[in-house]
Structure formats: structure tokens, C-alpha cells
């Protein structure tokens, strides 16, 4: 019996933002911009890989916040409720998935990594995620450049000798 295996990438959003210099710099002036930049990066990655991505941002210290789930193209963005960490949300979410699913969790939090491994998921560090993203971007560029080469025109007149072209032109004029 073949199981329908799903592939997930679950990301501890703030953990990754704080681990990547590019996003950390953006977050110093606008945390919202850093979140959106991470979301955009992961959308492109999820589209290319076909992996369902879930980015979790915790609102642990945000008063009266409620859990919010945004379904965007190729990904889901979760903002946890007050007093809930991204780690606890991720742990609960993993428990809802099939043990046959391919689950990768991106975080640099060592304690969280140990829990993730205990639940049967694979952990991936922020650095490894960055390397995966860079590789995917490179593959996207290669794919796009090969598609551009295929689009280039292949004109018949460029492959025929002048005599044959002249005969074809005469036939065209007769009609």
C-alpha cells in the first residue's frame, strides 16, 4: 500500500531572521520588512521545491494577541497567540502530521532541535537552510536560462541556401 507522503518545511521565523545577517540588518529598522523578506524568499523556494512551507512567528510577549494563520501562495504564515512560543506551536503542529510525512524544521535553537528529532522530523540549521535556498535559486536561474534558449527563434530562412529561398519566394508570390 502506497502512502501519500507530504513534504513540509517548518520555519521558526524569528530564529531565522536573527540568524541571517541580511534579515537581521533589515529587522533593526523594520521587523515587518524582515518578516516579509523572509516570506518572499520562502515562497520562491516552496514554489520551486514543491515543499509545503510553514513559517511560524511567535507573539509570546504580545499582549492580547490571538493566533493568526495566513495562507499565501505556496506557504502558510502563522503568528502564535500570546504566551505561545514558535517552538511549542511547531511541536504541536508536527504531532498533527503523519509519521510518514517528510518534515524538516529550520531553527538554530538546540533544545528545539532535540525535540524535533525525537518526534521523527529532520532538523535543519539556519545556515543549512540558507545553503538550500542558494542552491534552489541557482537551479531556478539555470532553468530560466535554458527556457530562454529554447524560446530563441529557429528561422527556416537561416538554414536554407539562397537558391532554395529564391524558389520558395517565387512560389509565395504566385499565390
Amino acid at each position: 500500500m502506497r502512502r501519500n507522503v507530504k513534504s513540509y518545511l517548518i520555519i521558526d521565523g524569528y530564529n531565522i531572521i536573527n540568524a541571517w545577517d541580511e534579515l537581521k540588518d533589515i529587522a533593526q529598522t523594520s521587523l515587518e520588512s524582515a518578516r516579509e523578506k523572509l516570506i518572499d524568499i520562502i515562497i520562491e523556494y516552496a514554489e520551486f521545491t514543491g515543499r509545503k512551507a510553514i513559517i511560524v512567528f511567535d507573539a509570546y510577549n504580545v499582549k492580547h494577541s490571538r493566533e493568526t494563520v495566513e495562507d499565501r501562495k505556496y506557504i502558510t504564515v502563522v503568528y502564535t497567540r500570546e504566551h505561545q512560543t514558535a517552538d511549542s506551536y511547531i511541536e504541536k503542529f508536527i504531532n498533527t502530521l503523519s509519521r510518514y510525512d517528510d518534515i524538516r524544521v529550520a531553527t538554530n535553537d538546540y533544545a528545539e532541535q532535540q525535540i524535533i528529532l525525537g518526534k521523527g522530523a529532520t532538523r535543519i540549521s539556519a545556515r543549512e537552510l540558507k545553503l538550500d535556498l542558494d542552491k534552489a535559486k541557482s537551479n531556478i536561474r539555470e532553468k530560466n536560462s535554458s527556457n530562454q534558449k529554447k524560446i530563441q527563434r529557429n528561422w527556416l530562412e537561416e538554414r536554407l541556401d539562397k537558391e532554395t529561398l529564391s524558389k520558395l519566394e517565387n512560389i509565395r508570390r504566385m499565390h
Side-chain angles (χ1 to χ4, degrees), residues 1-7 98 100-102:
M1 178 168 83
R2 185 137 159 70
R3 289 180 169 64
N4 186 16
V5 176
K6 294 180 183 144
S7 190
S98 165
Y100 300 105
D101 289 337
D102 174 25

Side-chain angles (χ1 to χ4, degrees), residues 163-175:
E163 183 183 341
T164 306
L165 275 174
S166 176
K167 288 177 183 176
L168 286 172
E169 181 62 22
N170 289 336
I171 293 169
R172 186 187 67 81
R173 287 183 184 170
M174 284 192 252
H175 293 284

Side-chain angles (χ1 to χ4, degrees), residues 3-45:
R3 289 180 169 64
N4 186 16
V5 176
K6 294 180 183 144
S7 190
Y8 294 92
L9 172 63
I10 305 167
I11 299 161
D12 182 337
Y14 291 130
N15 189 281
I16 299 301
I17 286 173
N18 289 317
W20 291 355
D21 291 338
E22 169 194 3
L23 295 177
K24 194 188 308 186
D25 291 345
I26 295 169
Q28 287 178 358
T29 53
S30 171
L31 191 55
E32 175 68 24
S33 295
R35 281 194 304 255
E36 287 303 317
K37 177 77 173 172
L38 176 61
I39 289 167
D40 290 343
I41 291 167
I42 300 302
I43 285 173
E44 185 178 34
Y45 176 78

Side-chain angles (χ1 to χ4, degrees), residues 4 6 10 25 35 38 49 54 73 76-77 88 102 108 112 147 152 165 168:
N4 186 16
K6 294 180 183 144
I10 305 167
D25 291 345
R35 281 194 304 255
L38 176 61
T49 63
I54 298 98
K73 192 174 185 183
T76 301
V77 180
S88 66
D102 174 25
N108 274 351
E112 181 64 10
N147 285 345
Q152 290 177 348
L165 275 174
L168 286 172

